[in-house]
Amino acid sequence: MNPYQPPGNPPPGQPPGWGYGGPGYPQGYPPPQAPFGSVPFGAPSPYPPTPEQAAAARRAFAEREISDYATWSLINGITALFICGLFPGPFAVFRGSKALRLIEQHDVGRQHAGKAKAGRALGFAAMALWLVGVAGYFVLVAR
């Protein structure tokens, strides 16, 4: 018998098809199958999340969003106060206010409230100083 020829009929006493894998599988082994009901790694689950999992995901997303808004509020407030006044100031106020509103709405991320308040205060201070500077310019120089 030639070992390089595909098998013909199964040996006597063995049911047809058993022990002979499909194309690409070694002879004598059935093709591998996933266990019943299993999902391959990395595939989305066929079941919806439980209410607890959905709530935890919403809280985690809200806390990340609060952290981002509070951090950018502080960065914009510092930039407005020390570099370019008017333009980043309103962004600092908006982002700080949004972060504080999200903290109250979702009841998470309270550790970021200080950054949000500081960024909002720096934004207001930068805008006020810019307005005082413009008013002073018109009073002193543009007579």
Side-chain angles (χ1 to χ4, degrees), residues 7-74:
N9 294 328
Q14 190 173 14
W18 177 258
Y20 293 94
Y25 294 105
Q27 182 180 353
Y29 294 98
Q33 295 179 351
F36 178 75
S38 69
V39 178
F41 181 76
S45 174
Y47 306 108
T50 64
E52 294 83 17
Q53 290 171 333
R58 282 193 301 274
R59 280 192 307 273
F61 179 77
E63 185 158 358
R64 176 61 188 214
E65 191 175 18
I66 290 166
S67 171
D68 289 347
Y69 274 116
T71 301
W72 279 108
S73 171
L74 186 60

Short mmCIF file of all heavy atoms in Angstrom, two decimals, residues 7-74:
data_model
loop_
_atom_site.label_atom_id
_atom_site.label_comp_id
_atom_site.label_asym_id
_atom_site.label_seq_id
_atom_site.Cartn_x
_atom_site.Cartn_y
_atom_site.Cartn_z
N PRO A 7 -6.67 7.75 1.76
CA PRO A 7 -7.27 6.48 2.15
C PRO A 7 -8.53 6.21 1.33
O PRO A 7 -9.25 7.13 0.94
CB PRO A 7 -7.59 6.66 3.61
CG PRO A 7 -7.70 8.13 3.80
CD PRO A 7 -6.76 8.75 2.81
N GLY A 8 -8.78 4.98 1.11
CA GLY A 8 -9.98 4.57 0.39
C GLY A 8 -11.09 4.29 1.38
O GLY A 8 -11.54 5.17 2.11
N ASN A 9 -11.46 3.06 1.49
CA ASN A 9 -12.50 2.66 2.43
C ASN A 9 -11.90 2.47 3.81
O ASN A 9 -10.73 2.12 3.96
CB ASN A 9 -13.16 1.36 1.96
CG ASN A 9 -13.90 1.56 0.66
OD1 ASN A 9 -14.44 2.63 0.43
ND2 ASN A 9 -13.93 0.53 -0.18
N PRO A 10 -12.71 2.68 4.87
CA PRO A 10 -12.18 2.47 6.22
C PRO A 10 -11.92 0.99 6.46
O PRO A 10 -12.45 0.13 5.78
CB PRO A 10 -13.30 2.99 7.12
CG PRO A 10 -14.52 2.95 6.29
CD PRO A 10 -14.08 3.13 4.87
N PRO A 11 -11.09 0.68 7.45
CA PRO A 11 -10.82 -0.72 7.78
C PRO A 11 -12.10 -1.44 8.18
O PRO A 11 -13.06 -0.80 8.62
CB PRO A 11 -9.84 -0.65 8.94
CG PRO A 11 -9.33 0.73 8.96
CD PRO A 11 -10.32 1.59 8.25
N PRO A 12 -12.13 -2.75 8.06
CA PRO A 12 -13.35 -3.49 8.41
C PRO A 12 -13.69 -3.30 9.89
O PRO A 12 -12.83 -3.25 10.75
CB PRO A 12 -13.00 -4.94 8.12
CG PRO A 12 -11.72 -4.94 7.40
CD PRO A 12 -11.10 -3.60 7.53
N GLY A 13 -14.97 -3.16 10.18
CA GLY A 13 -15.43 -3.02 11.56
C GLY A 13 -15.45 -1.58 12.05
O GLY A 13 -15.87 -1.33 13.17
N GLN A 14 -14.98 -0.64 11.23
CA GLN A 14 -14.98 0.76 11.65
C GLN A 14 -16.03 1.50 10.82
O GLN A 14 -16.10 1.31 9.61
CB GLN A 14 -13.59 1.36 11.43
CG GLN A 14 -13.45 2.72 12.07
CD GLN A 14 -12.01 3.22 11.98
OE1 GLN A 14 -11.21 2.67 11.25
NE2 GLN A 14 -11.72 4.24 12.74
N PRO A 15 -16.85 2.35 11.46
CA PRO A 15 -17.89 3.05 10.70
C PRO A 15 -17.26 4.01 9.70
O PRO A 15 -16.17 4.53 9.91
CB PRO A 15 -18.69 3.80 11.77
CG PRO A 15 -17.85 3.82 12.97
CD PRO A 15 -16.90 2.67 12.88
N PRO A 16 -17.92 4.26 8.58
CA PRO A 16 -17.37 5.15 7.58
C PRO A 16 -17.23 6.57 8.13
O PRO A 16 -18.09 7.07 8.83
CB PRO A 16 -18.39 5.12 6.44
CG PRO A 16 -19.41 4.10 6.79
CD PRO A 16 -19.18 3.68 8.19
N GLY A 17 -16.12 7.20 7.78
CA GLY A 17 -15.87 8.58 8.16
C GLY A 17 -15.21 8.74 9.51
O GLY A 17 -14.66 9.78 9.81
N TRP A 18 -15.28 7.74 10.38
CA TRP A 18 -14.67 7.89 11.70
C TRP A 18 -13.18 7.69 11.63
O TRP A 18 -12.69 6.76 11.04
CB TRP A 18 -15.26 6.89 12.69
CG TRP A 18 -14.60 7.00 14.03
CD1 TRP A 18 -13.66 6.17 14.52
CD2 TRP A 18 -14.78 8.01 14.98
NE1 TRP A 18 -13.25 6.58 15.75
CE2 TRP A 18 -13.93 7.75 16.06
CE3 TRP A 18 -15.57 9.15 15.05
CZ2 TRP A 18 -13.86 8.55 17.18
CZ3 TRP A 18 -15.49 9.92 16.19
CH2 TRP A 18 -14.64 9.62 17.23
N GLY A 19 -12.43 8.64 12.21
CA GLY A 19 -10.99 8.50 12.26
C GLY A 19 -10.28 9.08 11.05
O GLY A 19 -9.08 9.03 10.97
N TYR A 20 -11.03 9.61 10.14
CA TYR A 20 -10.41 10.20 8.97
C TYR A 20 -10.76 11.68 8.95
O TYR A 20 -11.92 12.04 8.74
CB TYR A 20 -10.90 9.52 7.68
CG TYR A 20 -10.44 8.10 7.59
CD1 TYR A 20 -11.23 7.06 8.04
CD2 TYR A 20 -9.19 7.81 7.09
CE1 TYR A 20 -10.80 5.76 7.98
CE2 TYR A 20 -8.75 6.51 7.02
CZ TYR A 20 -9.56 5.49 7.47
OH TYR A 20 -9.12 4.21 7.41
N GLY A 21 -9.79 12.55 9.20
CA GLY A 21 -10.02 13.98 9.23
C GLY A 21 -10.25 14.53 7.84
O GLY A 21 -9.96 13.89 6.85
N GLY A 22 -10.78 15.73 7.80
CA GLY A 22 -11.01 16.39 6.52
C GLY A 22 -9.69 16.86 5.93
O GLY A 22 -8.61 16.53 6.41
N PRO A 23 -9.74 17.66 4.89
CA PRO A 23 -8.52 18.15 4.26
C PRO A 23 -7.70 18.98 5.25
O PRO A 23 -8.23 19.82 5.96
CB PRO A 23 -9.01 19.02 3.11
CG PRO A 23 -10.49 18.88 3.06
CD PRO A 23 -10.94 18.12 4.25
N GLY A 24 -6.45 18.74 5.30
CA GLY A 24 -5.54 19.48 6.18
C GLY A 24 -5.38 18.87 7.55
O GLY A 24 -4.61 19.38 8.36
N TYR A 25 -6.08 17.81 7.88
CA TYR A 25 -5.96 17.17 9.18
C TYR A 25 -5.24 15.84 9.01
O TYR A 25 -5.40 15.16 8.01
CB TYR A 25 -7.33 16.94 9.82
CG TYR A 25 -8.03 18.23 10.14
CD1 TYR A 25 -9.08 18.68 9.36
CD2 TYR A 25 -7.61 19.01 11.21
CE1 TYR A 25 -9.70 19.87 9.63
CE2 TYR A 25 -8.23 20.20 11.49
CZ TYR A 25 -9.28 20.63 10.70
OH TYR A 25 -9.89 21.80 10.99
N PRO A 26 -4.44 15.45 10.01
CA PRO A 26 -3.73 14.18 9.88
C PRO A 26 -4.69 13.00 9.84
O PRO A 26 -5.77 13.06 10.41
CB PRO A 26 -2.84 14.13 11.12
CG PRO A 26 -3.28 15.22 12.01
CD PRO A 26 -4.15 16.15 11.23
N GLN A 27 -4.27 11.98 9.16
CA GLN A 27 -5.10 10.79 9.02
C GLN A 27 -5.24 10.10 10.38
O GLN A 27 -4.29 10.00 11.14
CB GLN A 27 -4.45 9.84 8.02
CG GLN A 27 -5.26 8.59 7.78
CD GLN A 27 -4.58 7.69 6.77
OE1 GLN A 27 -3.60 8.06 6.18
NE2 GLN A 27 -5.13 6.50 6.61
N GLY A 28 -6.45 9.68 10.68
CA GLY A 28 -6.67 8.96 11.92
C GLY A 28 -7.20 9.83 13.04
O GLY A 28 -7.49 9.33 14.10
N TYR A 29 -7.34 11.16 12.82
CA TYR A 29 -7.84 12.05 13.86
C TYR A 29 -9.04 12.82 13.32
O TYR A 29 -9.00 13.32 12.20
CB TYR A 29 -6.77 13.06 14.29
CG TYR A 29 -5.59 12.42 14.97
CD1 TYR A 29 -4.43 12.15 14.26
CD2 TYR A 29 -5.66 12.09 16.32
CE1 TYR A 29 -3.37 11.55 14.88
CE2 TYR A 29 -4.58 11.49 16.94
CZ TYR A 29 -3.44 11.22 16.22
OH TYR A 29 -2.38 10.64 16.84
N PRO A 30 -10.08 12.96 14.12
CA PRO A 30 -11.21 13.77 13.66
C PRO A 30 -10.83 15.26 13.71
O PRO A 30 -9.95 15.66 14.47
CB PRO A 30 -12.31 13.44 14.66
CG PRO A 30 -11.61 12.98 15.88
CD PRO A 30 -10.33 12.35 15.40
N PRO A 31 -11.47 16.10 12.91
CA PRO A 31 -11.16 17.53 12.97
C PRO A 31 -11.53 18.10 14.35
O PRO A 31 -12.49 17.66 14.97
CB PRO A 31 -12.04 18.14 11.88
CG PRO A 31 -12.97 17.10 11.44
CD PRO A 31 -12.47 15.78 11.93
N PRO A 32 -10.75 19.05 14.85
CA PRO A 32 -11.04 19.61 16.17
C PRO A 32 -12.33 20.42 16.13
O PRO A 32 -12.64 21.08 15.14
CB PRO A 32 -9.84 20.50 16.45
CG PRO A 32 -9.28 20.83 15.12
CD PRO A 32 -9.57 19.66 14.24
N GLN A 33 -13.06 20.36 17.22
CA GLN A 33 -14.30 21.11 17.34
C GLN A 33 -14.28 21.87 18.66
O GLN A 33 -13.74 21.41 19.65
CB GLN A 33 -15.50 20.17 17.30
CG GLN A 33 -15.66 19.45 15.99
CD GLN A 33 -16.86 18.52 16.02
OE1 GLN A 33 -17.45 18.29 17.06
NE2 GLN A 33 -17.20 17.98 14.87
N ALA A 34 -14.90 23.06 18.63
CA ALA A 34 -15.02 23.83 19.86
C ALA A 34 -16.04 23.15 20.77
O ALA A 34 -16.99 22.55 20.29
CB ALA A 34 -15.47 25.24 19.54
N PRO A 35 -15.83 23.23 22.08
CA PRO A 35 -16.82 22.66 22.99
C PRO A 35 -18.18 23.32 22.78
O PRO A 35 -18.27 24.47 22.36
CB PRO A 35 -16.28 22.97 24.37
CG PRO A 35 -14.86 23.32 24.18
CD PRO A 35 -14.71 23.79 22.78
N PHE A 36 -19.23 22.61 23.09
CA PHE A 36 -20.58 23.12 22.87
C PHE A 36 -20.79 24.39 23.68
O PHE A 36 -20.54 24.45 24.87
CB PHE A 36 -21.60 22.06 23.30
CG PHE A 36 -23.01 22.53 23.16
CD1 PHE A 36 -23.59 22.63 21.91
CD2 PHE A 36 -23.73 22.91 24.27
CE1 PHE A 36 -24.88 23.06 21.78
CE2 PHE A 36 -25.02 23.35 24.14
CZ PHE A 36 -25.61 23.43 22.90
N GLY A 37 -21.25 25.45 23.00
CA GLY A 37 -21.59 26.70 23.68
C GLY A 37 -20.41 27.62 23.93
O GLY A 37 -20.59 28.67 24.52
N SER A 38 -19.21 27.28 23.52
CA SER A 38 -18.08 28.15 23.79
C SER A 38 -17.96 29.21 22.71
O SER A 38 -18.39 29.03 21.58
CB SER A 38 -16.79 27.35 23.90
OG SER A 38 -16.45 26.84 22.63
N VAL A 39 -17.38 30.33 23.08
CA VAL A 39 -17.15 31.43 22.16
C VAL A 39 -15.65 31.54 21.95
O VAL A 39 -14.90 31.51 22.91
CB VAL A 39 -17.71 32.74 22.76
CG1 VAL A 39 -17.44 33.91 21.84
CG2 VAL A 39 -19.20 32.60 23.02
N PRO A 40 -15.17 31.66 20.71
CA PRO A 40 -13.73 31.81 20.50
C PRO A 40 -13.19 33.05 21.21
O PRO A 40 -13.91 34.02 21.42
CB PRO A 40 -13.61 31.94 18.98
CG PRO A 40 -14.89 31.44 18.42
CD PRO A 40 -15.92 31.64 19.48
N PHE A 41 -11.92 32.99 21.54
CA PHE A 41 -11.27 34.09 22.25
C PHE A 41 -11.33 35.36 21.41
O PHE A 41 -11.03 35.35 20.24
CB PHE A 41 -9.82 33.74 22.56
CG PHE A 41 -9.10 34.81 23.30
CD1 PHE A 41 -9.34 35.01 24.64
CD2 PHE A 41 -8.22 35.65 22.65
CE1 PHE A 41 -8.69 36.00 25.33
CE2 PHE A 41 -7.56 36.65 23.34
CZ PHE A 41 -7.81 36.82 24.69
N GLY A 42 -11.72 36.47 22.02
CA GLY A 42 -11.77 37.75 21.34
C GLY A 42 -13.09 38.01 20.64
O GLY A 42 -13.34 39.12 20.20
N ALA A 43 -13.94 37.02 20.51
CA ALA A 43 -15.24 37.23 19.85
C ALA A 43 -16.21 37.85 20.86
O ALA A 43 -16.11 37.61 22.06
CB ALA A 43 -15.79 35.90 19.35
N PRO A 44 -17.13 38.67 20.38
CA PRO A 44 -18.10 39.25 21.31
C PRO A 44 -19.02 38.17 21.89
O PRO A 44 -19.31 37.18 21.24
CB PRO A 44 -18.88 40.24 20.46
CG PRO A 44 -18.66 39.81 19.05
CD PRO A 44 -17.32 39.12 19.02
N SER A 45 -19.44 38.39 23.10
CA SER A 45 -20.31 37.43 23.76
C SER A 45 -21.69 37.45 23.10
O SER A 45 -22.20 38.52 22.76
CB SER A 45 -20.46 37.78 25.24
OG SER A 45 -21.41 36.95 25.84
N PRO A 46 -22.28 36.30 22.91
CA PRO A 46 -23.62 36.29 22.32
C PRO A 46 -24.71 36.70 23.31
O PRO A 46 -25.85 36.86 22.93
CB PRO A 46 -23.80 34.83 21.88
CG PRO A 46 -22.95 34.06 22.82
CD PRO A 46 -21.77 34.94 23.12
N TYR A 47 -24.35 36.89 24.57
CA TYR A 47 -25.31 37.23 25.60
C TYR A 47 -25.16 38.70 25.98
O TYR A 47 -24.06 39.22 26.05
CB TYR A 47 -25.11 36.37 26.84
CG TYR A 47 -25.12 34.90 26.53
CD1 TYR A 47 -23.96 34.15 26.56
CD2 TYR A 47 -26.31 34.27 26.17
CE1 TYR A 47 -23.96 32.81 26.25
CE2 TYR A 47 -26.33 32.92 25.85
CZ TYR A 47 -25.16 32.20 25.90
OH TYR A 47 -25.17 30.88 25.59
N PRO A 48 -26.26 39.40 26.25
CA PRO A 48 -26.14 40.80 26.68
C PRO A 48 -25.55 40.87 28.08
O PRO A 48 -25.64 39.92 28.85
CB PRO A 48 -27.60 41.29 26.66
CG PRO A 48 -28.42 40.06 26.81
CD PRO A 48 -27.63 38.94 26.17
N PRO A 49 -24.93 42.02 28.43
CA PRO A 49 -24.36 42.13 29.77
C PRO A 49 -25.47 42.18 30.82
O PRO A 49 -26.59 42.60 30.55
CB PRO A 49 -23.60 43.46 29.72
CG PRO A 49 -24.22 44.22 28.62
CD PRO A 49 -24.71 43.22 27.63
N THR A 50 -25.11 41.75 32.01
CA THR A 50 -26.07 41.82 33.11
C THR A 50 -26.25 43.29 33.50
O THR A 50 -25.41 44.13 33.16
CB THR A 50 -25.55 41.02 34.33
OG1 THR A 50 -24.35 41.64 34.80
CG2 THR A 50 -25.30 39.57 33.97
N PRO A 51 -27.31 43.62 34.20
CA PRO A 51 -27.50 45.02 34.62
C PRO A 51 -26.33 45.54 35.47
O PRO A 51 -25.96 46.71 35.34
CB PRO A 51 -28.79 44.99 35.43
CG PRO A 51 -29.54 43.82 34.90
CD PRO A 51 -28.49 42.81 34.52
N GLU A 52 -25.74 44.68 36.30
CA GLU A 52 -24.60 45.11 37.11
C GLU A 52 -23.39 45.42 36.23
O GLU A 52 -22.67 46.39 36.46
CB GLU A 52 -24.22 44.04 38.14
CG GLU A 52 -25.29 43.80 39.19
CD GLU A 52 -26.38 42.85 38.72
OE1 GLU A 52 -26.17 42.12 37.71
OE2 GLU A 52 -27.45 42.85 39.34
N GLN A 53 -23.15 44.58 35.21
CA GLN A 53 -22.03 44.83 34.30
C GLN A 53 -22.25 46.11 33.50
O GLN A 53 -21.31 46.88 33.30
CB GLN A 53 -21.85 43.64 33.35
CG GLN A 53 -21.35 42.39 34.00
CD GLN A 53 -21.40 41.20 33.05
OE1 GLN A 53 -22.20 41.15 32.13
NE2 GLN A 53 -20.52 40.23 33.28
N ALA A 54 -23.47 46.34 33.05
CA ALA A 54 -23.77 47.54 32.28
C ALA A 54 -23.59 48.79 33.15
O ALA A 54 -23.03 49.80 32.70
CB ALA A 54 -25.18 47.47 31.72
N ALA A 55 -24.04 48.73 34.40
CA ALA A 55 -23.89 49.88 35.30
C ALA A 55 -22.42 50.15 35.60
O ALA A 55 -21.99 51.31 35.64
CB ALA A 55 -24.66 49.64 36.59
N ALA A 56 -21.64 49.10 35.80
CA ALA A 56 -20.20 49.27 36.06
C ALA A 56 -19.51 49.87 34.84
O ALA A 56 -18.63 50.73 34.99
CB ALA A 56 -19.57 47.93 36.42
N ALA A 57 -19.90 49.46 33.66
CA ALA A 57 -19.30 50.02 32.44
C ALA A 57 -19.66 51.50 32.30
O ALA A 57 -18.80 52.31 31.92
CB ALA A 57 -19.77 49.24 31.21
N ARG A 58 -20.90 51.86 32.60
CA ARG A 58 -21.30 53.27 32.51
C ARG A 58 -20.55 54.11 33.54
O ARG A 58 -20.12 55.23 33.23
CB ARG A 58 -22.81 53.41 32.74
CG ARG A 58 -23.64 53.04 31.53
CD ARG A 58 -25.09 53.48 31.68
NE ARG A 58 -25.75 52.90 32.84
CZ ARG A 58 -26.35 51.72 32.86
NH1 ARG A 58 -26.37 50.98 31.77
NH2 ARG A 58 -26.93 51.28 33.95
N ARG A 59 -20.38 53.58 34.76
CA ARG A 59 -19.63 54.33 35.78
C ARG A 59 -18.18 54.51 35.38
O ARG A 59 -17.61 55.59 35.55
CB ARG A 59 -19.72 53.61 37.13
CG ARG A 59 -21.00 53.87 37.87
CD ARG A 59 -20.92 53.39 39.31
NE ARG A 59 -20.51 52.00 39.45
CZ ARG A 59 -21.33 50.96 39.42
NH1 ARG A 59 -22.62 51.15 39.25
NH2 ARG A 59 -20.88 49.73 39.55
N ALA A 60 -17.56 53.47 34.84
CA ALA A 60 -16.16 53.57 34.42
C ALA A 60 -16.01 54.57 33.29
O ALA A 60 -15.06 55.37 33.28
CB ALA A 60 -15.64 52.20 33.99
N PHE A 61 -16.93 54.55 32.33
CA PHE A 61 -16.87 55.51 31.23
C PHE A 61 -17.06 56.93 31.74
O PHE A 61 -16.35 57.85 31.33
CB PHE A 61 -17.92 55.17 30.17
CG PHE A 61 -17.93 56.13 29.03
CD1 PHE A 61 -16.97 56.06 28.05
CD2 PHE A 61 -18.91 57.12 28.94
CE1 PHE A 61 -16.97 56.96 26.99
CE2 PHE A 61 -18.91 58.01 27.90
CZ PHE A 61 -17.94 57.93 26.91
N ALA A 62 -18.02 57.13 32.65
CA ALA A 62 -18.28 58.46 33.19
C ALA A 62 -17.07 58.97 33.98
O ALA A 62 -16.70 60.14 33.86
CB ALA A 62 -19.52 58.44 34.07
N GLU A 63 -16.44 58.09 34.75
CA GLU A 63 -15.27 58.55 35.52
C GLU A 63 -14.12 58.94 34.61
O GLU A 63 -13.43 59.93 34.86
CB GLU A 63 -14.83 57.48 36.51
CG GLU A 63 -13.71 57.96 37.39
CD GLU A 63 -13.58 57.19 38.68
OE1 GLU A 63 -14.37 56.28 38.94
OE2 GLU A 63 -12.65 57.53 39.42
N ARG A 64 -13.93 58.20 33.54
CA ARG A 64 -12.87 58.55 32.58
C ARG A 64 -13.17 59.89 31.91
O ARG A 64 -12.30 60.72 31.73
CB ARG A 64 -12.75 57.42 31.54
CG ARG A 64 -11.77 57.69 30.45
CD ARG A 64 -10.39 57.85 31.01
NE ARG A 64 -9.49 58.28 29.97
CZ ARG A 64 -8.24 57.93 29.90
NH1 ARG A 64 -7.72 57.17 30.82
NH2 ARG A 64 -7.49 58.37 28.94
N GLU A 65 -14.44 60.10 31.55
CA GLU A 65 -14.83 61.36 30.91
C GLU A 65 -14.65 62.53 31.89
O GLU A 65 -14.17 63.60 31.51
CB GLU A 65 -16.28 61.25 30.45
CG GLU A 65 -16.72 62.37 29.56
CD GLU A 65 -18.11 62.16 29.03
OE1 GLU A 65 -18.87 61.35 29.59
OE2 GLU A 65 -18.46 62.83 28.05
N ILE A 66 -15.02 62.32 33.15
CA ILE A 66 -14.86 63.37 34.17
C ILE A 66 -13.38 63.71 34.34
O ILE A 66 -13.00 64.87 34.41
CB ILE A 66 -15.49 62.91 35.50
CG1 ILE A 66 -17.01 62.89 35.37
CG2 ILE A 66 -15.06 63.81 36.65
CD1 ILE A 66 -17.70 62.16 36.50
N SER A 67 -12.54 62.67 34.40
CA SER A 67 -11.11 62.90 34.55
C SER A 67 -10.56 63.71 33.39
O SER A 67 -9.78 64.64 33.58
CB SER A 67 -10.38 61.56 34.65
OG SER A 67 -8.99 61.74 34.60
N ASP A 68 -10.98 63.36 32.18
CA ASP A 68 -10.49 64.09 31.00
C ASP A 68 -10.95 65.54 31.02
O ASP A 68 -10.15 66.46 30.77
CB ASP A 68 -10.99 63.41 29.72
CG ASP A 68 -10.31 62.09 29.45
OD1 ASP A 68 -9.29 61.80 30.12
OD2 ASP A 68 -10.81 61.33 28.59
N TYR A 69 -12.22 65.78 31.30
CA TYR A 69 -12.73 67.16 31.34
C TYR A 69 -12.03 67.98 32.43
O TYR A 69 -11.67 69.13 32.20
CB TYR A 69 -14.24 67.18 31.56
CG TYR A 69 -15.04 67.06 30.29
CD1 TYR A 69 -15.86 65.97 30.07
CD2 TYR A 69 -14.98 68.04 29.32
CE1 TYR A 69 -16.59 65.85 28.90
CE2 TYR A 69 -15.71 67.93 28.15
CZ TYR A 69 -16.51 66.84 27.94
OH TYR A 69 -17.23 66.72 26.79
N ALA A 70 -11.84 67.39 33.61
CA ALA A 70 -11.21 68.13 34.70
C ALA A 70 -9.75 68.45 34.38
O ALA A 70 -9.29 69.57 34.62
CB ALA A 70 -11.31 67.33 36.00
N THR A 71 -9.04 67.49 33.82
CA THR A 71 -7.63 67.72 33.48
C THR A 71 -7.49 68.79 32.41
O THR A 71 -6.66 69.71 32.53
CB THR A 71 -6.98 66.41 33.02
OG1 THR A 71 -7.10 65.45 34.07
CG2 THR A 71 -5.52 66.61 32.68
N TRP A 72 -8.32 68.71 31.37
CA TRP A 72 -8.23 69.71 30.31
C TRP A 72 -8.70 71.08 30.78
O TRP A 72 -8.22 72.11 30.30
CB TRP A 72 -9.01 69.27 29.07
CG TRP A 72 -8.20 68.31 28.26
CD1 TRP A 72 -8.39 66.98 28.12
CD2 TRP A 72 -7.03 68.63 27.52
NE1 TRP A 72 -7.41 66.44 27.34
CE2 TRP A 72 -6.56 67.43 26.94
CE3 TRP A 72 -6.32 69.79 27.27
CZ2 TRP A 72 -5.43 67.38 26.14
CZ3 TRP A 72 -5.18 69.73 26.47
CH2 TRP A 72 -4.76 68.55 25.93
N SER A 73 -9.61 71.12 31.73
CA SER A 73 -10.02 72.39 32.31
C SER A 73 -8.84 73.05 33.02
O SER A 73 -8.60 74.25 32.85
CB SER A 73 -11.16 72.16 33.29
OG SER A 73 -11.44 73.34 34.00
N LEU A 74 -8.11 72.27 33.80
CA LEU A 74 -6.95 72.82 34.50
C LEU A 74 -5.86 73.26 33.52
O LEU A 74 -5.27 74.34 33.67
CB LEU A 74 -6.40 71.78 35.49
CG LEU A 74 -5.28 72.24 36.41
CD1 LEU A 74 -5.74 73.40 37.27
CD2 LEU A 74 -4.82 71.09 37.28
#
